[in-house]
Amino acid sequence: MSYSIRIHPDRRIAVFRFSGHLNVRIGQQAFLDYVQMPGFDPHFTMLTDARCVVEVEATFREIVHGVVHAMRKLRLFDQPVSSVILVGSEKQYVVARLLDQVLERASKIRIHIAREEGEALALAGCADTPFSELANAA
């Protein structure tokens, strides 16, 4: 599993890209890396591309456990903030919905799931820029 995170302060967005095998531990580590990055702002929209994830392993119980362990950092999000997740499979969609259900009760992060790139970019307020450009920008 690999992931990358790019923060675009000018657009008020953080772009995540995951590939390979994904589990709760890796997702949690990406979140913790994000909140420690220079330029982190809890008010920025988060845009995640999960289309290159070939396998996702996460049960509801594991997601709850991961969120509980990240609660201190989740409290940094003191106002509602959008997290747009672009999925490429039904399994990814189901896991994103599970995460949505847990985060809705535990934080101010609101997840929006998209199945098409254009929809995800529009939800994140970046309809004018391809995902590849956002994810690969320095």
Side-chain angles (χ1 to χ4, degrees), residues 85-97:
I85 302 174
L86 176 57
V87 299
S89 73
E90 196 60 31
K91 174 88 182 226
Q92 293 170 4
Y93 179 86
V94 168
V95 172
R97 283 290 296 133

Side-chain angles (χ1 to χ4, degrees), residues 60-115:
F60 185 75
R61 180 184 210 124
E62 290 169 334
I63 292 169
V64 169
H65 188 260
V67 167
V68 167
H69 281 279
M71 281 306 296
R72 180 188 288 160
K73 300 297 183 184
L74 285 168
R75 288 189 191 107
L76 295 170
F77 296 83
D78 59 348
Q79 297 175 17
V81 63
S82 290
S83 176
V84 179
I85 302 174
L86 176 57
V87 299
S89 73
E90 196 60 31
K91 174 88 182 226
Q92 293 170 4
Y93 179 86
V94 168
V95 172
R97 283 290 296 133
L98 291 174
L99 180 60
D100 176 36
Q101 291 173 355
V102 176
L103 285 177
E104 185 176 48
R105 289 168 175 74
S107 76
K108 297 197 184 249
I109 297 172
R110 298 298 169 251
I111 292 181
H112 308 278
I113 304 167
R115 294 179 188 263

